[in-house]
Amino acid sequence: MTALPVYRWRLAPAGYATRRQLRALGLRPGGQDVSAQLERPRRRRGPLVAYLYRVELAKPVRPMTPGRRAALAKAMTARRTCPNCRRDAGYCIPRSLGMCVPCSDSFTAAA
């Protein structure tokens, strides 16, 4: 088992990228293993760790198909619909409340 190279925050060499950086480039890891990691020290806890992937081994992001687009739209509609009043709230319902903010406010005022 080989150890991963560890780099300090913002000091990774060119050719490595995090998942978010790959996505911004229109790429995905494509099944490759983690190549290195970044560590950002913190004062009272362990370091923050970010995994790095090789950019030249990354593959292009798969295109959005009509079926995927429809499934995503349906899922987002379900996240925006209040189970209490059945209205589209226009935002994702907070999981901590379980209902839209007006319903939550009226529910807490009644209790």
Side-chain angles (χ1 to χ4, degrees):
M1 179 173 185
T2 62
L4 291 175
V6 178
Y7 300 104
R8 302 260 313 165
W9 202 254
R10 298 185 189 265
L11 296 177
Y16 289 102
T18 62
R19 282 183 179 268
R20 284 188 181 195
Q21 290 168 337
L22 287 176
R23 190 63 162 190
L25 296 171
L27 301 171
R28 62 185 169 96
Q32 66 174 302
D33 291 331
V34 175
S35 299
Q37 70 182 27
L38 285 178
E39 285 189 357
R40 178 178 174 212
R42 297 191 289 184
R43 293 180 189 212
R44 293 184 176 88
R45 292 183 277 170
L48 288 175
V49 175
Y51 297 113
L52 299 173
Y53 300 91
R54 302 289 308 200
V55 175
E56 67 267 6
L57 299 177
K59 296 180 180 176
V61 175
R62 293 185 187 116
M64 183 68 76
T65 63
R68 276 188 176 170
R69 191 176 309 279
L72 182 61
K74 188 175 179 181
M76 291 306 293
T77 300
R79 288 184 65 190
R80 288 191 315 262
T81 304
C82 176
N84 197 22
C85 64
R86 298 285 182 204
R87 288 185 304 169
D88 185 348
Y91 54 87
C92 290
I93 304 293
R95 292 176 58 189
S96 60
L97 299 177
M99 58 185 81
C100 65
V101 175
C103 287
S104 174
D105 291 343
S106 64
F107 182 76
T108 55

